[in-house]
Amino acid sequence: MAAKPGIPKGTRDFSPVEMAKRNYIFNTIRDVYHLYGFQQIETPSMEMLSTLMGKYGEEGDKLLFKIQNSGDYFSGITDEELLSRNAAKLASKFCEKGLRYDLTVPFARYVVMHRDEITFPFKRYQIQPVWRADRPQKGRYREFYQCDADVVGSDSLLNEVELMQIVDTVFTRFGIRVCIKINNRKILTGIAEIIGEADKIVDITVAIDKLDKIGLDNVNKELAEKGISEEAIAKLQPIILLSGTNAEKLATLKTVLSDSETGLKGVEESEFILDTLQTMGLKNEIELDLTLARGLNYYTGAIFEVKALDVQIGSITGGGRYDNLTGVFGMAGVSGVGISFGADRIFDVLNQLELYPKEAVNGTQLLFINFGEKEAAFSMGILSKARAAGIRAEIFPDAAKMKKQMSYANVKNIPFVAIVGENEMNEGKAMLKNMENGEQQLVTAEELIGALTK
């Protein structure tokens, strides 16, 4: 007996119903992106490893899926190198390509490669899968979709404001209550300066970013392990645990960071974003959260993260400002800011809260029962008119027993069934059955279309 097939851990199959739900997510996000003037691009699933390595920090580099070279990948490798069993060194020889870790770095590469074709500011979105060699767990997958929107070639903070409006609009359309968290890497840099650990900014932000996951004691332990002094860690506590309204937090930070020019710049940027959004009438809460650090090294200004309020799950959207990402590809001075919706986590949240609209999940609206060759031929005429009117309709392909055909309609949640027998054909009509309440009525093709399109 053949072994039962399987799929890699951290990946999933999606049924037709699940795909209908996913397409509802993608289409909702796509529609909102279009409202704000974003245009779609796509980039390859694999990039050169030289494009990806070094852009996500040491931890991110470890999570890159590397693709083995085709052909004789042993050529050019000495026996000594093979016997050394140095995995990292051998991987660099065996693998020149890798699966993309996110959509932002490939986008930066795209901007540099196509700079002569692009009009700045360039507003693009991408809805594509990404891969991370992470440990699979609830809400965390090795293959998942991101839905990114970025603006490059503009320093204006109005871009940050509009991205937060997009986030608010998308989750309002989904019916998911969220808290939009905002911070600024300049504020975090300022904090590192005033506690006397400016050179440890990356270690500090990576540790702080784990506060929700591992708790304050473990964050402090990690900071100590990174060589940050006890005195600096003590100074950090009241800052990262700062409470109050957004205005109160900003006022406190202006005092705390008074000796840090960079820190005050971050406060100023955050104040502009929050004050402007206050006049826009957002439907969801927005909170200045100093524990938000977003561990990726390329963020330089505002950073964002979105948490669902009614479901226990990690961040479902994130992003921020990156002033120097294209610089690593030889194109300095291009500022960018972007957000990324985690489609797979949003899928899980909508499932748990049962928020999918009925019309988004249902596929076929109308099924014609097949009683035989003549009846099928008559039904096909009405079927063509129904489809021309935009009704999703099908005919059962075989003249099977009525019970089997009705069971097919029930399993697929088809709301209407059209029954065409000899009597119906004689009258040039069809019997339309509502599968929810069992009501039946004899209708013409036009009446059938009217009933299903009203």
Side-chain angles (χ1 to χ4, degrees):
M1 183 188 246
K4 188 177 178 181
I7 58 174
K9 285 184 179 179
T11 65
R12 294 173 291 172
D13 287 324
F14 293 97
S15 68
V17 170
E18 289 169 325
M19 279 311 304
K21 291 178 176 181
R22 285 167 70 79
N23 285 329
Y24 165 67
I25 293 170
F26 297 145
N27 292 338
T28 300
I29 294 170
R30 185 181 287 112
D31 288 347
V32 176
Y33 282 161
H34 286 162
L35 278 179
Y36 285 80
F38 287 79
Q39 296 178 297
Q40 187 172 17
I41 67 164
E42 286 198 351
T43 59
S45 297
M46 58 179 141
E47 296 275 350
M48 302 304 293
L49 272 180
S50 57
T51 297
L52 301 173
M53 293 291 286
K55 312 303 188 302
Y56 306 105
E58 191 177 335
E59 291 191 10
D61 282 351
K62 292 175 185 174
L63 300 182
L64 288 171
F65 273 112
K66 299 173 179 65
I67 299 173
Q68 187 174 285
N69 296 340
S70 54
D72 183 8
Y73 48 83
F74 282 110
S75 64
I77 298 175
T78 65
D79 289 346
E80 187 181 350
E81 286 173 323
L82 281 172
L83 292 170
S84 72
R85 303 176 69 85
N86 185 324
K89 192 172 181 181
L90 287 171
S92 68
K93 300 267 182 114
F94 286 162
C95 310
E96 294 174 352
K97 298 173 285 292
L99 294 177
R100 59 170 173 251
Y101 177 95
D102 71 353
L103 298 178
T104 307
V105 169
F107 172 54
R109 189 266 311 150
Y110 176 95
V111 170
V112 173
M113 284 186 67
H114 299 273
R115 67 181 89 183
D116 295 333
E117 307 152 32
I118 292 172
T119 300
F120 293 100
F122 182 44
K123 300 170 77 170
R124 85 78 169 90
Y125 76 89
Q126 272 176 271
I127 298 177
Q128 290 186 270
V130 300
W131 294 266
R132 296 182 185 178
D134 215 340
R135 186 172 64 85
Q137 54 188 287
K138 183 178 172 59
R140 188 182 291 273
Y141 305 101
R142 285 176 170 166
E143 178 186 60
F144 56 96
Y145 267 76
Q146 287 185 338
C147 309
D148 281 20
D150 288 78
V151 186
V152 295
S154 170
D155 296 320
S156 173
L157 292 172
L158 287 178
N159 296 313
E160 277 85 338
V161 170
E162 288 208 327
L163 288 172
M164 293 305 93
Q165 287 181 282
I166 286 172
V167 168
D168 184 65
T169 303
V170 165
F171 287 111
T172 299
R173 290 191 178 191
F174 285 144
I176 300 173
R177 293 192 320 120
V178 298
C179 177
I180 303 168
K181 294 177 178 287
I182 180 173
N183 198 7
N184 196 296
R185 288 299 288 258
K186 294 184 180 78
I187 291 176
L188 294 168
T189 299
I191 290 169
E193 286 176 3
I194 63 155
I195 66 171
E197 298 283 1
D199 60 327
K200 297 286 179 83
I201 178 62
V202 172
D203 291 333
I204 292 170
T205 54
V206 167
I208 289 176
D209 201 42
K210 298 175 183 173
L211 187 68
D212 283 351
K213 300 179 191 119
I214 65 175
L216 185 60
D217 290 343
N218 285 320
V219 167
N220 290 337
K221 182 181 176 185
E222 184 170 321
L223 289 168
E225 287 170 354
K226 294 292 185 179
I228 294 160
S229 69
E230 282 186 30
E231 183 186 357
I233 294 171
K235 285 181 183 177
L236 197 57
Q237 305 308 294
I239 300 171
I240 62 173
L241 298 176
L242 193 62
S243 59
T245 66
N246 291 334
E248 288 167 347
K249 289 175 185 174
L250 288 167
T252 302
L253 284 171
K254 284 177 185 176
T255 304
V256 171
L257 299 175
S258 58
D259 292 333
S260 171
E261 186 180 341
T262 302
L264 288 176
K265 180 66 175 170
V267 174
E268 181 189 325
E269 290 177 3
S270 301
E271 192 167 37
F272 175 86
I273 295 166
L274 290 167
D275 287 351
T276 307
L277 285 170
Q278 200 166 8
T279 68
M280 300 294 174
L282 296 189
K283 302 290 193 299
N284 291 282
E285 176 190 357
I286 185 159
E287 175 196 348
L288 178 65
D289 183 356
L290 298 184
T291 68
L292 174 61
R294 306 254 341 135
L296 300 181
N297 285 348
Y298 53 67
Y299 291 124
T300 54
I303 45 180
F304 320 108
E305 203 159 271
V306 178
K307 300 279 188 181
L309 296 178
D310 300 317
V311 172
Q312 283 289 99
I313 198 167
S315 165
I316 53 177
T317 298
R321 165 75 63 173
Y322 44 89
D323 282 341
N324 55 11
L325 190 61
T326 55
V328 300
F329 298 122
M331 188 177 178
V334 178
S335 184
V337 60
I339 53 171
S340 178
F341 288 95
D344 293 86
R345 288 188 177 182
I346 293 171
F347 176 90
D348 289 346
V349 171
L350 288 170
N351 266 343
Q352 287 184 56
L353 299 179
E354 297 182 349
L355 289 174
Y356 287 101
K358 199 172 183 180
E359 62 273 14
V361 178
N362 286 352
T364 302
Q365 297 169 273
L366 174 65
L367 173 70
F368 280 84
I369 299 297
N370 187 340
F371 288 117
E373 208 170 300
K374 290 180 184 176
E375 292 86 349
F378 181 89
S379 296
M380 289 294 284
I382 305 176
L383 180 63
S384 296
K385 291 178 182 177
R387 286 173 175 159
I391 295 167
R392 301 185 300 278
E394 59 181 291
I395 186 169
F396 200 85
D398 306 302
K401 289 182 179 178
M402 179 83 159
K403 184 179 179 182
K404 180 177 181 180
Q405 298 189 51
M406 295 299 277
S407 175
Y408 176 84
N410 281 322
V411 169
K412 289 190 71 176
N413 290 315
I414 299 172
F416 290 94
V417 165
I419 301 167
V420 177
E422 192 172 335
N423 293 338
E424 288 80 14
M425 285 195 296
N426 288 338
E427 293 196 44
K429 295 182 179 182
M431 186 67 72
L432 183 65
K433 180 173 182 175
N434 184 317
M435 296 293 283
E436 285 189 12
N437 57 29
E439 290 180 2
Q440 296 187 168
Q441 55 179 324
L442 196 62
V443 294
T444 64
E446 289 70 27
E447 288 169 339
L448 180 148
I449 290 165
L452 268 77
T453 55
K454 68 182 179 183

